[in-house]
Amino acid sequence: MKDLAKIPATVITGFLGSGKTTLIRSLLENAGGRRLALVINEFGDVGVDGEILKGCGVEGCSEDDVLELANGCICCTVADDFLPTIQKLIDRPDPPDHIIIETSGLALPKPLVKAFGWPDVRNRVTVDGVVAVVDGPAVESGIFTSAPAAVQAQRQADPALDHESPLEELFEEQLGCADLVVINKRDLLDEDGYRQVLETTHGYLRAGVPAVAATQGQLDPRVLLGLGAEAEDDLDSRPSHHDGDDDHDHDDFESFVVELGECDSPQGLLDLLTPLSARFGVLRVKGFAVVSGKDMRLVVQGVGPRFQHYYDRDWRAEESRRTRLVVIGEKGLDEPAIRAALAQEQAAA
């Protein structure tokens, strides 16, 4: 007899570079025998997050278990893209024990949760919980928050910020829908900084929603999975600026892909990217790089001026060995100048 129990789904939301993919990778490594399926929503033209998870090398996680949605924001394409993907997962002969959904940093979580009320899905899947991942150091520095003191500091540094930032609204939307908040990069915060982040975060949360700290996305799966929120039946308690709106747009952001040659070393590439990110106000850089003399693929991820890198797997024979990076920023990002500067700096290196 077919198991009539609903398959739990966890929605993991959070701003660009908060550490969602790292958190999911940790979940895979500590799944404890659970069959996890991943649905990844990218922003940009290269499926970096999906590729990172496909290349994780974790036993029991096959590439067939990682599904990517590349047709735009997940909360804007629920009928055309997301719901058919969920249907495909639950119709498998051996369906997953748990579905993990990583939204892009631009997605509103509430429309996605609402999609689980779709008749063909509702009786077979439930939203176990919405987990919002917060970049602790970014919040401490006053980014993505409407705290008056932080906004004033930003205005003094940049007159162009003398208006409500769409990033603040996204931050509020993500936290307001959350059943659990993960304050990531705890190791980069001192005690006063951590308390400040907690105070800021709690200002956006619904009553009773807990916040936990993590370093490099490392958390016991028992903390993240099994929340039992049934969020699709609890929409009224999750406020949104877009309640009643038929749609929304993300015209405040843009992205492009840049290709570079081989780099002599990971640090050399970071020395190239870090000052350019600061100079042009780049929010996020992510992608893969070819390092001279190395058979393995280098993963590069940057949030503002902070970058990290690691080798994830060997380049495959059928792959084109090339450095490809997605650059993401707010509207008005000077793509020609960034491309020219990268080409000039790499040629001079």
Side-chain angles (χ1 to χ4, degrees), residues 175-196:
L175 294 185
C177 194
D179 299 291
L180 175 71
V181 172
V182 177
I183 298 176
N184 200 20
K185 307 177 187 179
R186 174 65 179 88
D187 55 318
L188 302 180
L189 297 168
D190 59 21
E191 289 301 321
D192 288 340
Y194 181 59
R195 280 194 295 269
Q196 176 186 329

Side-chain angles (χ1 to χ4, degrees), residues 46-250:
V46 177
V48 176
D49 294 345
E51 272 295 307
I52 290 173
L53 292 168
K54 288 177 181 178
C56 67
V58 176
E59 185 178 356
C61 176
S62 70
E63 293 196 7
D64 291 339
D65 294 323
V66 183
L67 305 181
E68 297 177 76
L69 306 182
N71 294 329
C73 171
I74 195 172
C75 63
C76 300
T77 61
V78 287
D80 298 331
D81 204 6
F82 174 68
L83 287 172
T85 298
I86 294 297
Q87 193 76 50
K88 178 180 178 181
L89 282 174
I90 62 181
D91 286 344
R92 286 180 174 182
D94 188 17
D97 296 324
H98 204 114
I99 300 170
I100 308 295
I101 302 156
E102 178 191 353
T103 72
S104 79
L106 305 176
L108 302 172
K110 188 170 181 177
L112 181 58
V113 174
K114 188 176 181 179
F116 283 88
W118 193 261
D120 291 339
V121 172
R122 183 179 182 84
N123 293 329
R124 300 176 63 187
V125 185
T126 182
V127 182
D128 181 61
V130 177
V131 177
V133 184
V134 170
D135 183 331
V139 174
E140 180 191 22
S141 64
I143 304 173
F144 318 142
T145 174
S146 58
V151 172
Q152 183 59 32
Q154 288 178 308
R155 287 174 176 171
Q156 291 172 350
D158 185 354
L161 290 173
D162 193 14
H163 60 274
E164 183 180 14
S165 167
L167 305 184
E168 296 169 14
E169 185 176 299
L170 278 171
F171 185 75
E172 186 175 354
E173 293 276 343
Q174 292 167 355
L175 294 185
C177 194
D179 299 291
L180 175 71
V181 172
V182 177
I183 298 176
N184 200 20
K185 307 177 187 179
R186 174 65 179 88
D187 55 318
L188 302 180
L189 297 168
D190 59 21
E191 289 301 321
D192 288 340
Y194 181 59
R195 280 194 295 269
Q196 176 186 329
V197 174
L198 281 176
E199 289 174 5
T200 300
T201 301
H202 277 297
Y204 297 104
L205 300 181
R206 297 174 297 133
V209 172
V212 297
T215 294
Q216 297 183 348
Q218 297 292 319
L219 272 179
D220 190 321
R222 292 175 297 180
V223 176
L224 297 168
L225 307 183
L227 298 178
E230 298 181 344
E232 70 276 13
D233 294 327
D234 186 32
L235 289 170
D236 290 343
S237 76
R238 301 166 193 264
S240 170
H241 292 283
H242 298 270
D243 285 337
D245 290 353
D246 291 329
D247 55 29
H248 66 282
D249 60 64
H250 299 306

